[in-house]
Amino acid sequence: MARSEGRCLSRRDVLNLAAMGSVAVLTGCGTEMWYGKDVTGILPDLDFDLTRAQDGQAVTEEDYEGQVVALFFGFTFCPDICPMTLSNLSGIVDRLGEDADDLSILFVTVDPDRDTLPVLADYTAAFTPRAAGLRGTPDQLARLARRLKVTYKVEPHPEGGVDYAVSHGKSVYVFDRSGAARLLWPEFDTLQADVAAATEDIQRLIAGE
């Protein structure tokens, strides 16, 4: 079976070829492909100043130094994207086993009016103890969103209102132990997301690749 893409085959490609009884000869392949989009050197390092829902503490990127971090934006009233993303991330935690201690999942709310700290804490805890809800002031949130080129919009609503629309970017941003941006998972909010392959990404980053 010939390939004309001119790229190295991933571990998954090799397994698929083997399953079909094909033999692949790999030459000149110095690195294995990632499941996520490689954003090394493209996106900036992890840098934020927010409040953690679980304990009400002000936290920055320094609190997660030495951890692989998977960060994404959303809100607890989100009907599908956010719960599916958190469910898939929880699947990674389950697959990692003891290595899950080296992964932190950060869920940054773009809807602080409804997402109080207790609401955020309960929401993330329902998926996995490795997830923490983060909440910030409008300026803190806008700064982080601009830094990562994330768009979000909250429809105008009266104070105390609970029935309004919110939109937000759905990508998951993955940072290595040093806080450097390494990967982007743009479609991790569906049943078709490859949780096993994403787990391999995390394992490689935990190992220091």
Side-chain angles (χ1 to χ4, degrees):
M1 180 177 180
R3 284 189 170 245
S4 59
E5 292 93 329
R7 64 173 178 83
C8 300
L9 301 183
S10 70
R11 183 181 306 162
R12 232 167 18 265
D13 291 330
V14 174
L15 292 175
N16 288 337
L17 288 171
M20 292 184 291
S22 301
V23 178
V25 178
L26 309 182
T27 60
C29 293
T31 58
E32 183 180 338
M33 299 288 287
W34 297 89
Y35 166 65
K37 178 181 178 182
D38 191 341
V39 295
T40 304
I42 299 174
L43 289 178
D45 293 349
L46 189 63
D47 185 0
F48 65 85
D49 184 2
L50 298 167
T51 300
R52 185 166 53 204
Q54 277 66 14
D55 55 13
Q57 295 296 308
V59 292
T60 71
E61 72 285 349
E62 293 181 357
D63 291 277
Y64 297 92
E65 186 175 355
Q67 292 269 297
V68 172
V69 171
L71 179 150
F72 74 108
F73 296 78
F75 62 113
T76 65
F77 280 67
C78 182
D80 41 34
I81 291 174
C82 301
M84 193 70 244
T85 301
L86 273 170
S87 180
N88 287 334
L89 289 169
S90 178
I92 292 177
V93 172
D94 292 340
R95 288 173 174 271
L96 285 175
E98 292 183 358
D99 286 343
D101 289 343
D102 294 311
L103 171 66
S104 288
I105 298 166
L106 303 183
F107 176 68
V108 181
T109 180
V110 299
D111 184 19
D113 285 352
R114 287 182 295 191
D115 289 348
T116 63
L117 295 181
V119 167
L120 266 179
D122 289 345
Y123 184 79
T124 53
F127 291 92
T128 170
R130 298 306 305 168
L134 299 181
R135 183 176 183 268
T137 66
D139 286 345
Q140 289 171 331
L141 174 60
R143 175 179 175 274
L144 178 58
R146 284 196 303 269
R147 185 173 180 82
L148 296 178
K149 299 178 175 60
V150 173
T151 58
Y152 64 94
K153 182 179 180 181
V154 179
E155 293 295 333
H157 56 276
E159 185 176 353
V162 295
D163 186 15
Y164 54 89
V166 175
S167 60
H168 59 91
K170 63 181 182 178
S171 294
V172 177
Y173 297 78
V174 183
F175 300 83
D176 65 20
R177 291 181 183 272
S178 72
R182 297 293 303 278
L183 299 170
L184 187 70
W185 297 333
E187 301 290 340
F188 210 59
D189 61 313
T190 70
L191 291 171
Q192 288 71 46
D194 194 336
V195 175
T199 302
E200 290 184 10
D201 279 356
I202 297 298
Q203 289 171 324
R204 292 172 62 186
L205 292 176
I206 289 174
E209 289 190 39

